[in-house]
Amino acid sequence: MGKHTCLAGLLMPLLFILFATPEAAAQTVPRDTTYQKPSLPTGPPVPVSPAPQPTQPVKERPVIVSPPQVIIPDTVRKEDNREVKENATFVDKLYYGGSFGLQFGTYTNISLLPTVTYRLTDKLGIGVGGVYHFIREGDISLNNYGGRALLQAETFEIGDGAILLHAEVEMLSLEYLSAFNAGFYETSRKSIALPMLGIGYRQRIGEKASFDLLLLYNVNEDRLNPYSNPVFRASFNLPFKR
């Protein structure tokens, strides 16, 4: 009895060690042998940022700085123009010119009408001038001479010119036939005033020069009046000082 008891006491630890080994534990613990397929993403694709490219240095463009614009007020400009006009000398406002006419043939008529004009303003001028007429018909020759005073005013601007109002008084010493008999003739002289009024057009040529076309009416109705209405004249104006 005591012998069997000792044997039992030795076998019990051996059995415990045998069942406690890994192989035994593997037989007692069941393994999960089911294969699981890896799951794929089902959401929207994730944007992939491009790989950074090597940056090149940016060349700086030269900055061109324009000079500041100087704005001159109109008041200053007007004052400057006023100073220029005030500083203008007497000669700066003087103009010379006039008109002339030539007609040759059996009846010859040469007319010279020089003038000198002074500009009171940019639009208004006064002037004086001379008058000379040479008339020849056959064997008869006549000479008329005198002077004149005139007033001109520019009105409406048209293109590069302006409508011109013209008034003048011409004092003329007329030579006329007082007697004619058997091929002989005698001449006499008479002084006559010839007022003329009219309108015209002034075409500017350059900064100061101009060309005038005038249509005038002779008020005097004396029978010795050398002008027949209407009177056409073409004249020019040039500055003394350019």
Side-chain angles (χ1 to χ4, degrees), residues 13-238:
L14 290 174
L15 290 174
F16 178 78
I17 292 171
L18 179 63
F19 285 103
T21 58
E23 289 78 1
Q27 292 179 0
T28 57
V29 179
R31 293 183 179 180
D32 187 5
T33 60
T34 305
Y35 173 75
Q36 294 183 356
K37 185 178 180 180
S39 60
L40 298 175
T42 58
V46 179
V48 179
S49 59
Q53 299 293 333
T55 58
Q56 296 180 356
V58 180
K59 295 181 180 180
E60 295 184 357
R61 296 182 179 178
V63 179
I64 301 175
V65 180
S66 58
Q69 296 182 354
V70 180
I71 300 176
I72 303 176
D74 293 338
T75 55
V76 177
R77 292 177 181 173
K78 292 179 181 179
E79 291 177 359
D80 293 342
N81 293 335
R82 190 180 301 113
E83 289 179 359
V84 171
K85 292 178 182 179
E86 290 177 355
N87 296 331
T89 62
F90 178 80
V91 180
D92 293 331
K93 299 180 180 181
L94 282 179
Y95 292 78
Y96 68 93
S99 60
F100 62 91
L102 299 174
Q103 181 178 351
F104 298 98
T106 55
Y107 177 83
T108 301
N109 187 353
I110 300 174
S111 299
L112 300 176
L113 295 94
T115 58
V116 176
T117 306
Y118 178 78
R119 290 286 180 88
L120 297 174
T121 65
D122 292 338
K123 304 293 185 182
L124 184 64
I126 58 174
V128 293
V131 182
Y132 176 75
H133 299 292
F134 174 77
I135 301 171
R136 183 173 183 176
E137 185 174 7
D139 295 331
I140 301 175
S141 298
L142 301 175
N143 293 276
N144 302 331
Y145 51 83
R148 59 189 183 129
L150 58 92
L151 174 67
Q152 292 180 329
E154 296 181 15
T155 56
F156 306 104
E157 298 284 336
I158 299 179
D160 294 331
I163 298 298
L164 188 66
L165 299 180
H166 180 97
E168 71 171 71
V169 176
E170 185 174 305
M171 297 298 298
L172 199 61
S173 175
L174 287 171
E175 186 179 20
Y176 62 96
L177 293 176
S178 58
F180 184 83
N181 187 12
F184 297 94
Y185 63 90
E186 295 180 0
T187 61
S188 299
R189 284 199 169 272
K190 178 182 180 180
S191 295
I192 185 172
L194 303 172
M196 297 188 191
L197 302 173
I199 192 171
Y201 177 74
R202 169 164 290 171
Q203 175 67 46
R204 296 186 181 90
I205 306 172
E207 185 177 356
K208 292 184 176 181
S210 62
F211 179 78
D212 299 342
L213 290 174
L214 299 173
L215 176 62
L216 306 177
Y217 180 77
N218 185 0
V219 179
N220 194 323
E221 296 181 355
D222 194 305
R223 66 180 184 86
L224 297 178
N225 189 338
Y227 300 108
S228 58
N229 287 316
V231 180
F232 295 95
R233 281 183 183 169
S235 60
F236 60 93
N237 305 282
L238 300 174

